Amino acid sequence: MLICVPDVLTKDDVADFRHIMDTAEWEDGRSTAGSQSALVKQNEQLPPTGETARKLGERILVALAANPLFISAAVPLRIFPPLFNRYGAGQYFGEHVDNSIRGDHLTGMRIRTDLSVTLFLAEPGEYDGGALIVDDYYGSHEVKLPAGHLVLYPSTSLHMVTPVTRGTRVASFFWLQSMIRDAHARSLIFDLDTTIQELVERLGRNDPEVRRLTNIYHNLIRFWAEL
Ligand code: NI
């Protein structure tokens, strides 16, 4: 299941990110690729342990912590420090899999990659091509979102970024380990939470059935969560 989360960053934040990134040093994107994906990866990225990536990444983590839709959909346990990349004309990232485990050299953090995240930092009109294509059981999905929006997709999927033919595609990307490992269980939790929020709008938080459904929601989290 792919889930889009709008307005994670404001347009002002995006402009500030872009300004900071424009003056930063970039490196070959293959430095963080596994051996298979290095063969099909052509882009640039901010050095992952550099100050620019860390500071901007920290701002993204703060924004995510305040985003109810993201929390509800991902139920995150640990989020990998966000990375940043850009694709100029002719650059692309062919079909690949993401590594199942990712370690961060600076913090020693290790996570199992349950969900992959792309946070778009360029408007769709700034570039042609550069779509994220995700293959799952339901087929092939093409994603290209406004700047400041993100997409969550299963790290188990094969995916790619099509060649950019004009302009520059700028994004942040990272992975997370969810408290709920099983994707099906996670989607049930998300569905239930979304339904409860809609009922709260209509009936209020103190409605007896809303209370019981909320109890069921928390009991399912108790049943499935791994910390
Ligand atoms: Ni990937």
Side-chain angles (χ1 to χ4, degrees), residues 72-122:
S72 175
V75 199
L77 175 61
R78 279 193 289 275
I79 304 175
F80 199 80
L83 302 171
F84 298 84
N85 62 15
R86 70 180 178 192
Y87 298 74
Q91 295 193 306
Y92 60 92
F93 196 168
E95 189 172 74
H96 67 280
V97 289
D98 289 349
N99 286 353
S100 47
I101 307 289
R102 298 238 38 144
D104 175 42
H105 301 303
L106 270 191
T107 58
M109 172 197 275
R110 279 207 308 173
I111 67 161
R112 180 189 65 230
T113 55
D114 294 325
L115 288 167
S116 300
V117 187
T118 297
L119 170 61
F120 290 79
L121 294 172

Side-chain angles (χ1 to χ4, degrees), residues 1 6 9 14 23 35 53-54 59 61 66 69 76 85 111 116 147 171 181 191 205:
M1 184 167 66
L9 294 180
V14 170
T23 56
S35 52
R54 290 291 155 154
R59 287 172 62 179
L61 296 179
L69 179 59
N85 62 15
I111 67 161
S116 300
R181 177 180 192 158
D191 206 11
R205 208 162 277 285

